[in-house]
Amino acid sequence: MTCIKIENMSQYIQVTDDESEEPIEIPSEEDGTLLLSTLAAQFPTACGLKYRNPQTGNYRGIRLTDGNLHPPESHWGSHVYIVVFPKDNKRKGDEVTENISAKTKRVDQQKKCSDLIVLGLPWKSTEDDLRNYFSQFGELVLSQVKRDPKTGLSKGYGFIRFNKYDDQMRCMSQRHNIDGRWCDVTIPNSNEGAQHLVSRKVFIARCTEDIKSEDLKAYFSRFGEVVDVFIPKPFRSFAFVSFADPEVAQSLCGEDHIIKGVSVHVSYAAPKGTDRHGEKKVQMPSKGIYQQGGPPGWNPQHGQGNPGGKPGNMPEMNSLGMNFFNSAMLAAAQAVLQQQGWAPGGTPGAPPQGSSGDNAHHAASQPGSYSTSQGSASNWGWGQQSDSTAGGYQGWGGGATRQGGWN
DNA sequence: GTTGGAAAGG
């Protein structure tokens, strides 16, 4: 008489703590029971199991004796079992709906998240540096620095991703000083998601050629910290000014200001690549606006550092050290200011952090050294200004805006 | 006559 050995009754049981999620499969014992300890290995505080009875739609509890969970019939079947946790004081219904809505919310948050590009990184920044810095906004699920595959050198940008949309939005809503460089975080190749953010940047119309970037910075700094000025070359009678605080930018829009005796108009900076009517600009493929027949040239010899450059505040002066404001103009300007309710001189927010003679060195050793615009926020470029020729860069702070983005 | 500068993932 032979005993028929029932071979390996053990099976994998589908278990989850959330019905809206993928179950995990955990093994039963050979006698067909499931050890609570096996369950607890996956769900540490679990105290039992239940499953939905397909006939009634009700939950059924699983028998538990001595740390063994017993299959509802002779076997576990193909049910998906739900982990039961100690209840605290909560009513059952509350807990279930709470769990579900919390989970739904989390999933929603994740779905709304996207990879974010970080532009303007210091050359030396590593994945760890990014992670360390950006973790202050929330948990990161991605941190990478793009490098030249050959040399391994950073290309000066990278990608991060948050788990929570809220974290992502908080992160995108400000600029970041990473190791002395101002960096922007945006959604790559798209404005979506950043659309509702207010621009930090204003468009300055009716500029004259003798309004230099340092004039603009000196003037607009009274309203708030100016983090970038851009004047297109060749001269086109307009400029851009970016503030650390978007609200400052917004508050100036629509106003006329007198700078060096010239009435300039401040308005919203249209997203790049559109004009003020929001029309997309079409550019002939072969002819760039920069130079004949080629991609925008990038001039490595310009740039770098700030030869005789003088950081810090200077009054309304040009590179020759002349004071542009005669007192009549000053009075006029201040009258305008007062009429507009502006208090001169206030500069809220942290000052640009200097510390980056350093980057120039890195930059110098970079391939293709497009490091020109990576001047530190504290570099004023007084020196560059005077000998400026075509193609010269004349801002200072780490390239505030990039293609396709607000700033 | 008045809307941008380097880099956007193999």
Side-chain angles (χ1 to χ4, degrees):
Chain A
M1 28 160 174
T2 320
C3 263
I4 298 175
K5 184 179 176 193
I6 301 176
E7 280 210 36
N8 197 3
M9 286 286 294
S10 112
Q11 63 170 296
Y12 278 89
I13 305 163
Q14 301 188 78
V15 174
T16 183
D17 61 346
D18 181 330
E19 289 180 87
S20 64
E21 292 243 315
E22 288 280 305
I24 180 178
E25 298 188 353
I26 57 177
S28 67
E29 299 306 296
E30 302 233 337
D31 66 1
T33 64
L34 171 63
L35 295 178
L36 188 57
S37 55
T38 302
L39 184 63
Q42 303 303 324
F43 304 96
T45 59
C47 63
L49 277 185
K50 64 188 179 184
Y51 70 104
R52 192 78 75 172
N53 175 353
Q55 268 81 50
T56 64
N58 295 327
Y59 281 123
R60 277 190 174 174
I62 291 300
R63 171 174 293 116
L64 171 66
T65 60
D66 256 351
N68 294 311
L69 289 150
H70 298 268
E73 284 120 43
S74 55
H75 58 285
W76 291 93
S78 55
H79 302 290
V80 174
Y81 293 86
I82 317 295
V83 185
V84 177
F85 297 98
K87 283 282 191 294
D88 299 332
N89 306 320
K90 271 186 213 141
R91 286 181 49 220
K92 185 178 181 178
D94 288 349
E95 184 178 274
V96 169
T97 49
E98 245 169 57
N99 279 345
I100 288 175
S101 76
K103 186 64 62 89
T104 309
K105 203 168 142 196
R106 208 189 77 210
V107 169
D108 279 357
Q109 286 262 331
Q110 279 173 351
K111 277 200 293 222
K112 284 198 278 180
C113 286
S114 57
D115 290 2
L116 303 176
I117 185 163
V118 187
L119 294 163
L121 287 175
W123 306 111
K124 63 178 181 182
S125 290
T126 66
E127 282 76 4
D128 282 346
D129 295 335
L130 281 198
R131 191 171 285 281
N132 284 339
Y133 174 83
F134 285 108
S135 289
Q136 67 182 289
F137 297 95
E139 185 195 346
L140 283 183
V141 296
L142 170 76
S143 162
Q144 55 183 211
V145 171
K146 290 300 169 191
R147 331 183 103 92
D148 181 311
K150 289 199 167 95
T151 64
L153 292 172
S154 165
K155 295 195 194 175
Y157 71 93
F159 290 88
I160 57 171
R161 184 176 184 134
F162 290 98
N163 219 352
K164 291 220 206 91
Y165 186 68
D166 299 347
D167 297 338
Q168 165 172 327
M169 293 324 276
R170 272 189 306 123
C171 181
M172 293 202 315
S173 71
Q174 63 169 82
R175 305 231 296 166
H176 305 274
N177 195 296
I178 300 178
D179 221 346
R181 309 222 44 83
W182 287 104
C183 302
D184 282 325
V185 175
T186 62
I187 295 175
N189 278 337
S190 149
N191 304 326
E192 323 286 322
Q195 283 300 340
H196 71 279
L197 295 178
V198 274
S199 178
R200 271 183 275 271
K201 181 183 283 192
V202 293
F203 177 75
I204 313 292
R206 300 196 309 251
C207 289
T208 59
E209 203 150 10
D210 93 333
I211 299 178
K212 305 297 186 194
S213 61
E214 57 270 37
D215 300 318
L216 290 170
K217 169 150 185 178
Y219 178 84
F220 283 106
S221 290
R222 71 196 66 191
F223 305 112
E225 184 194 350
V226 172
V227 296
D228 187 45
V229 171
F230 177 70
I231 301 178
K233 284 198 169 200
F235 178 69
R236 297 222 273 151
S237 74
F238 61 86
F240 293 93
V241 173
S242 302
F243 294 90
D245 180 356
E247 293 206 2
V248 173
Q250 296 304 110
S251 72
L252 292 170
C253 285
E255 297 180 354
D256 293 307
H257 289 258
I258 293 177
I259 302 175
K260 292 171 88 175
V262 177
S263 169
V264 300
H265 185 73
V266 182
S267 59
Y268 299 95
K272 212 184 220 171
T274 67
D275 61 19
R276 69 188 174 291
H277 312 294
E279 308 287 333
K280 267 185 227 157
K281 274 190 294 193
V282 192
Q283 210 165 284
M284 291 277 98
S286 52
K287 243 191 248 173
I289 57 170
Y290 303 91
Q291 53 195 68
Q292 293 285 39
W298 185 249
N299 241 339
Q301 73 264 33
H302 273 91
Q304 247 36 283
N306 190 5
K310 201 176 175 187
N313 297 328
M314 279 193 142
E316 264 73 15
M317 285 193 178
N318 71 355
S319 51
L320 304 171
M322 298 199 303
N323 193 330
F324 279 107
F325 261 34
N326 66 36
S327 50
M329 288 172 178
L330 228 187
Q334 281 175 343
V336 172
L337 289 178
Q338 270 169 12
Q339 176 195 326
Q340 292 166 341
W342 288 111
T347 301
Q353 293 151 27
S355 104
S356 89
D358 176 65
N359 277 294
H361 298 321
H362 284 272
S365 63
Q366 289 290 316
S369 176
Y370 42 79
S371 51
T372 313
S373 64
Q374 289 218 6
S376 118
S378 64
N379 279 350
W380 261 94
W382 302 102
Q384 305 168 20
Q385 196 63 29
S386 44
D387 69 333
S388 72
T389 49
Y393 174 80
Q394 48 172 314
W396 53 91
T401 303
R402 272 73 191 202
Q403 48 187 10
W406 285 102
N407 180 50

